[in-house]
Amino acid sequence: MVKVLFVCLGNICRSPLAEGVFKHIVTQRGLQEKIIVKSAGTSGWHLGEPPDPRSVTVARNHGIVLDSLGRKAISEDFETYDYIIAMDKSNFNHLQNLRATGGTAKAKLLLMRDFDEVGKGLDVPDPYYGGDDGFDKVYQMLDRSCRKLLDEIVKQHDLK
Ligand code: 4NP
């Protein structure tokens, strides 16, 4: 099994949507028995909470059901997961520090939009304080990025 963890700040807007989008694409490609997908936050502000209703709505508009509950990323995640995907550079830096406190860290830490051909290396902006159009934009970024990320994982692990 290849294990992938998406991480943002609150684990209620971006990373649950990334989890849902990635799972959806994984299933479309028939790889759901080979790839495990989860999400977490760098903060513990929304522990146990379902995703923000605006993320739920944009996902539903694309036929995707979100079912994650808020969890905080821990250093052991670097032992559990093969890929940890940060939504923005602040999340990335936080995770890098978290990894430093861990033991055997196998996970590759990557930035989500390093896989986005439209805006490589940019942040997935935090849509929490903005309007609904911010969530649509985030969805588009995640959809583009997740497709490329899956291509890369399929190649790396020779999945069929
Ligand atoms: P997320 O968005 O990191 O994409 O889940 C946020 C959610 C909540 C807060 C900030 C960002 N907050 O300040 O509670």
Side-chain angles (χ1 to χ4, degrees):
M1 286 301 246
V2 180
K3 296 186 177 179
V4 182
L5 182 69
F6 294 98
V7 180
C8 62
L9 175 61
N11 191 211
I12 54 167
C13 297
R14 292 166 291 176
S15 61
L17 190 53
E19 177 186 338
V21 167
F22 196 67
K23 270 188 197 162
H24 186 71
I25 299 167
V26 163
T27 301
Q28 278 181 336
R29 296 201 196 170
L31 296 168
Q32 64 276 10
E33 308 297 329
K34 298 183 177 167
I35 304 178
I36 289 176
V37 190
K38 300 280 182 194
S39 66
T42 57
S43 78
W45 298 338
H46 298 279
L47 297 181
E49 290 182 26
D52 186 288
R54 295 165 294 176
S55 284
V56 171
T57 299
V58 77
R60 195 194 298 124
N61 289 343
H62 292 91
I64 297 169
V65 175
L66 303 186
D67 60 4
S68 66
L69 296 175
R71 178 178 80 79
K72 188 173 178 181
I74 53 173
S75 59
E76 287 77 13
D77 287 330
F78 283 91
E79 296 163 44
T80 306
Y81 288 90
D82 300 288
Y83 296 91
I84 298 182
I85 315 294
M87 293 297 121
D88 65 31
K89 288 175 202 76
S90 166
N91 309 147
F92 188 96
N93 291 337
H94 182 107
L95 289 163
Q96 234 171 5
N97 291 333
L98 197 60
R99 159 185 252 163
T101 68
T104 49
K106 70 169 174 178
K108 270 189 190 161
L109 176 58
L110 303 167
L111 192 62
M112 179 88 275
R113 290 190 77 191
D114 275 348
F115 296 91
D116 186 0
E117 282 167 350
V118 185
K120 229 180 186 74
L122 296 178
D123 290 342
V124 178
D126 184 349
Y128 187 63
Y129 294 104
D132 289 350
D133 63 325
F135 284 76
D136 289 331
K137 289 200 178 103
V138 163
Y139 173 85
Q140 297 301 337
M141 292 167 195
L142 293 176
D143 187 58
R144 288 193 303 266
S145 305
C146 282
R147 287 172 194 281
K148 291 291 173 195
L149 172 63
L150 183 56
D151 288 344
E152 187 59 30
I153 290 175
V154 163
K155 201 158 57 172
Q156 288 290 323
H157 297 267
D158 202 19
L159 300 180
K160 281 172 187 103

